[in-house]
Amino acid sequence: MRQKNMHSLRVYLYIIALGVGIFLLSLLLFSKPTPVYEEKEVPVLGTIVRVKVAGDKVSSNVLLNTAEQELYRIHNKFSPNVESSVVHKLNTDGRVEVDEEALFLFQAAYNYAVITGGAFDPTVRPLLKLWGFDDINSQKKVPTQEEINKALENVDYRFIKVDEKNREISLLKDGVEVDLGGIAKGYAIDLVIQKIKGIDPEATGFVDAGGDIGIIGPKFGELPWVIGIRDPFSQDALKSIDTIYLTSGAVVTSGDYERFFTEDGKKYHHIIDPEDGYPARNASSVTVIAEKAMIADVFSTALFVLGYDNPALDYFTDFGIQAFVISPAGESVQTKGFDYFREKM
Ligand code: ADP
Ligand code: MG
């Protein structure tokens, strides 16, 4: 009797051991390996764009090469400083025929100028040139009031005509010049993500264009990416004052520390108020979260111009954004839904 019991116990243990073995083997066979992230830095659009990606079906390096090609293509097509670009052609000839993509971007820029009451204005280029913010190599200096007044006569998005039917963009006044620098970076991020996902839908990672970040997919397929918001009052680029957690979408920060020069102890930066022609003085940092990097990019610039004491801040959530604005004195305001992104999901 006892022996029989021992025997069935042994059989029982064998079955368990076999079960555990099969379980471990299937884990080994069917579980996915941890994604391997690869990175590439591409110097375009006035900044260095860092792409970090792990492919699922396609190798990470193939995805990085696709991203790089797409970034150079957009840079060469839309940078006003590239002679073959549509923007350069528009600025020199006063008109340009465009393809569907360029029509979309000009239309978007025009519409956002309308929506933001001209705080975002793609015709700021004459002012950018005066201050030396039109190109990395330009001489930076404080212009005279007379120079500013003269340039201001040519700054108004209503001088752009978007002819959808004939696919033509034209400038309605001599001296008007366009710069899509406040929208092109965001657009490029969205397009890189779209391209990567088109090839490998389960790829994960992010695109970081100098602080403008778009998420390709969550870290290791499940975790949020942790993004620090830089302290605008610190020289240390790595010092952050806030943390955002994102598994998708985009976060863009416009700060007065990104591109600036100092003259007579005063700091002058690259976001120009189209109203008076001076670097906007009513904010020191604006962070915007949106589904698309292009929208976040536009509104970070526009809300920077509109400033800390903008009574309409919450109205902009209608356009699918959440924003966090820091004043030059260090106070902060934010839209109602912003806190959501401060929590780990
Ligand atoms: P960054 O990421 O460098 O802060 P932003 O997205 O804030 O850039 O946009 C700044 C860029 O947009 C400038 O370099 C210039 O090309 C352009 N720009 C500056 N002022 C304005 C404005 N008021 N409206 C539209 N574009 C602007
Ligand atoms: Mg911006």
Side-chain angles (χ1 to χ4, degrees), residues 105-344:
L105 199 58
F106 277 107
Q107 242 167 358
Y110 187 91
N111 291 338
Y112 286 121
V114 175
I115 285 167
T116 61
F120 174 87
D121 190 326
T123 64
V124 285
R125 188 164 160 86
L127 291 164
L128 294 171
K129 276 177 151 177
L130 275 187
W131 290 92
F133 288 121
D134 57 312
D135 196 4
I136 311 170
N137 303 318
S138 297
Q139 167 83 32
K140 315 247 176 308
K141 59 160 181 18
V142 179
T144 65
Q145 188 60 50
E146 206 186 333
E147 287 175 308
I148 288 177
N149 291 345
K150 226 169 144 249
L152 278 173
E153 287 174 16
N154 295 325
V155 175
D156 190 328
Y157 65 89
R158 283 164 288 201
F159 291 139
I160 304 175
K161 187 176 170 218
V162 179
D163 183 345
E164 195 179 333
K165 220 173 101 224
N166 297 311
R167 285 204 186 163
E168 188 185 80
I169 313 297
S170 47
L171 301 175
L172 303 175
K173 188 171 180 245
D174 277 350
V176 177
E177 283 191 52
V178 167
D179 186 322
L180 298 179
I183 189 170
K185 247 189 302 173
Y187 174 71
I189 292 171
D190 291 336
L191 220 59
V192 164
I193 294 173
Q194 194 185 315
K195 277 267 161 177
I196 287 176
K197 295 271 202 173
I199 300 170
D200 192 346
E202 299 296 322
T204 64
F206 60 81
V207 183
D208 177 357
D212 297 11
I213 294 161
I215 306 296
I216 302 167
K219 193 174 185 177
F220 303 126
E222 53 185 320
L223 299 170
W225 291 100
V226 182
I227 299 148
I229 299 178
R230 188 177 153 175
D231 179 351
F233 304 108
S234 172
Q235 309 273 38
D236 181 359
L238 295 176
K239 182 157 185 264
S240 57
I241 42 152
D242 211 340
T243 311
I244 299 294
Y245 298 88
L246 281 187
T247 51
S248 67
V251 54
V252 171
T253 300
S254 285
D256 60 6
Y257 48 78
E258 279 171 53
R259 258 178 281 165
F260 67 91
F261 65 91
T262 335
E263 201 175 292
D264 296 331
K266 271 186 85 175
K267 196 167 148 186
Y268 300 95
H269 63 84
H270 70 309
I271 300 171
I272 306 291
D273 186 344
E275 192 87 10
D276 67 3
Y278 281 83
R281 281 155 292 194
N282 251 343
S284 53
S285 155
V286 176
T287 298
V288 174
I289 297 171
E291 202 47 55
K292 294 283 175 213
M294 183 179 86
I295 295 171
D297 193 12
V298 165
F299 282 102
S300 70
T301 305
L303 294 179
F304 196 102
V305 170
L306 293 172
Y308 167 73
D309 45 6
N310 164 24
L313 186 65
D314 261 312
Y315 153 83
F316 287 100
T317 56
D318 285 1
F319 300 102
I321 66 152
Q322 295 294 334
F324 175 58
V325 184
I326 302 174
S327 81
E331 306 137 290
S332 62
V333 282
Q334 64 180 52
T335 53
K336 289 196 183 83
F338 195 88
D339 268 341
Y340 175 78
F341 299 101
R342 288 202 175 95
E343 278 153 40
K344 281 187 190 169

Side-chain angles (χ1 to χ4, degrees), residues 3-154:
Q3 240 180 357
K4 209 176 166 196
N5 268 348
M6 282 295 283
H7 180 72
S8 51
L9 184 67
R10 209 176 291 155
V11 170
Y12 189 58
L13 285 176
Y14 277 140
I15 291 171
I16 289 180
L18 196 69
V20 170
I22 290 172
F23 175 73
L24 289 177
L25 196 71
S26 62
L27 262 190
L28 209 68
L29 288 177
F30 297 110
S31 72
K32 280 194 177 176
T34 314
V36 178
Y37 284 96
E38 301 284 351
E39 283 187 50
K40 186 168 231 161
E41 292 191 338
V42 189
V44 284
L45 303 162
T47 185
I48 290 170
V49 182
R50 183 162 69 107
V51 184
K52 181 165 173 156
V53 71
D56 177 55
K57 297 270 181 306
V58 180
S59 98
S60 305
N61 282 314
V62 168
L63 299 177
L64 286 179
N65 289 338
T66 307
E68 183 179 29
Q69 273 175 28
E70 196 58 15
L71 287 166
Y72 280 122
R73 186 186 70 78
I74 296 168
H75 175 87
N76 290 329
K77 187 167 179 179
F78 294 108
S79 169
N81 303 320
V82 170
E83 279 195 19
S84 56
S85 79
V86 282
V87 178
H88 187 273
K89 191 159 170 38
L90 174 65
N91 289 342
T92 44
D93 299 353
R95 55 169 292 276
V96 65
E97 271 181 45
V98 288
D99 62 10
E100 213 160 306
E101 180 186 44
L103 181 68
F104 164 78
L105 199 58
F106 277 107
Q107 242 167 358
Y110 187 91
N111 291 338
Y112 286 121
V114 175
I115 285 167
T116 61
F120 174 87
D121 190 326
T123 64
V124 285
R125 188 164 160 86
L127 291 164
L128 294 171
K129 276 177 151 177
L130 275 187
W131 290 92
F133 288 121
D134 57 312
D135 196 4
I136 311 170
N137 303 318
S138 297
Q139 167 83 32
K140 315 247 176 308
K141 59 160 181 18
V142 179
T144 65
Q145 188 60 50
E146 206 186 333
E147 287 175 308
I148 288 177
N149 291 345
K150 226 169 144 249
L152 278 173
E153 287 174 16
N154 295 325

